[in-house]
Amino acid sequence: MKTFAILSALAASTLAFPTTPISSLFSGNIQCPANKVQPDGKLPVDSISTSLLVQISAKEPNTAFPASDWAKITPNDFCTIFNLELPVDKTQGKVCNLVFDFPNIWEGPGLFKFYGSGDFTFTGYAIGVGAQNGTTTYNNQPSGGPSPPNPPPTLQPGNSYVVNSAPCGIPEGTPSPVTVSGSLCSSDTTFIFKQSDVVCPLGFYVVLTDA
Ligand SMILES: *[C@@H]1O[C@H](CO)[C@@H](O)[C@H](O)[C@H]1NC(C)=O
């Protein structure tokens, strides 16, 4: 009955304060920013979230920051490395679309902070390697690999970007999953966000589409 009492109290307070109930913000009317592989802005079934985020700092180049759900990018200092684990069977014959979803809506208790003009550098690491919790530092990054050739020129709140699209190209029989990873840095922007999917997805995802 305790639960019921709490619910009644909430209902009573909603009546007492005729402001927009928070629940209405979560229902209807919210259009997540779309792109060509996320036409409704949501995550398709065939999508993969990050498995690990590790911050690194140019000004503390030997500090191994513990893995976190939060990415932190600051001008010429903090970058964040993102790992994604691709299940080999699911990628067969597919295009791997790396997206960055950046909704600009009321997202619960502050899921991002963004100050600056939004110029970012996307750096790719070698296929099969990624950040390691407790080991990766600015001076000890995963080995280099191909970076997205045509990343979006800027990231701005309220947009959803396709950072790179290419055939996944992972041979059948490769030990699964295959780690892909990259870092996000900036020369002019502070960007702190929680990789999450509350109302709209926020952060890096791989969306698989048919080739
Ligand atoms: C990263 O390492 C720290 C320190 O050992 C540990 O507390 C934390 O749970 C680890 N996080 C992940 C995501 O493995």
Side-chain angles (χ1 to χ4, degrees):
M1 284 301 102
K2 209 173 197 172
T3 311
F4 181 73
I6 290 169
L7 288 176
S8 312
L10 282 175
S13 66
T14 305
L15 290 175
F17 297 95
T19 52
T20 309
I22 284 172
S23 59
S24 75
L25 292 172
F26 287 92
S27 60
N29 291 341
I30 289 177
Q31 175 61 57
C32 300
N35 60 43
K36 70 172 178 169
V37 298
Q38 295 173 279
D40 63 358
K42 304 282 189 185
L43 288 173
V45 177
D46 271 347
S47 54
I48 296 139
S49 185
T50 53
S51 56
L52 196 74
L53 273 64
V54 174
Q55 302 170 6
I56 54 174
S57 162
K59 291 179 183 162
E60 294 177 66
N62 296 315
T63 302
F65 297 93
S68 167
D69 290 340
W70 289 83
K72 179 175 180 180
I73 293 105
T74 62
N76 301 312
D77 185 9
F78 274 91
C79 304
T80 298
I81 301 178
F82 302 82
N83 292 3
L84 295 111
E85 306 284 339
L86 304 182
V88 172
D89 54 342
K90 280 192 163 186
T91 66
Q92 296 307 305
K94 299 280 183 174
V95 171
C96 281
N97 303 275
L98 177 66
V99 302
F100 188 79
D101 291 332
F102 192 6
N104 183 24
I105 54 165
W106 187 89
E107 263 271 10
L111 293 180
F112 75 86
K113 292 191 174 117
F114 183 91
Y115 314 102
S117 44
D119 296 299
F120 291 92
T121 310
F122 298 80
T123 302
Y125 300 114
I127 306 288
V129 300
Q132 290 185 346
N133 186 17
T135 306
T136 297
T137 64
Y138 188 85
N139 279 345
N140 183 26
Q141 298 183 35
S143 17
S147 294
N150 297 299
T154 66
L155 297 181
Q156 301 292 339
N159 292 282
S160 174
Y161 301 90
V162 179
V163 177
N164 195 25
S165 286
C168 298
I170 303 171
E172 217 172 342
T174 305
S176 188
V178 168
T179 304
V180 292
S181 63
S183 68
L184 189 66
C185 302
S186 180
S187 57
D188 60 15
T189 301
T190 295
F191 186 22
I192 296 167
F193 69 90
K194 185 175 191 196
Q195 173 90 23
S196 53
D197 185 17
V198 180
V199 180
C200 297
L202 169 60
F204 282 106
Y205 297 88
V206 169
V207 175
L208 301 175
T209 53
D210 289 325

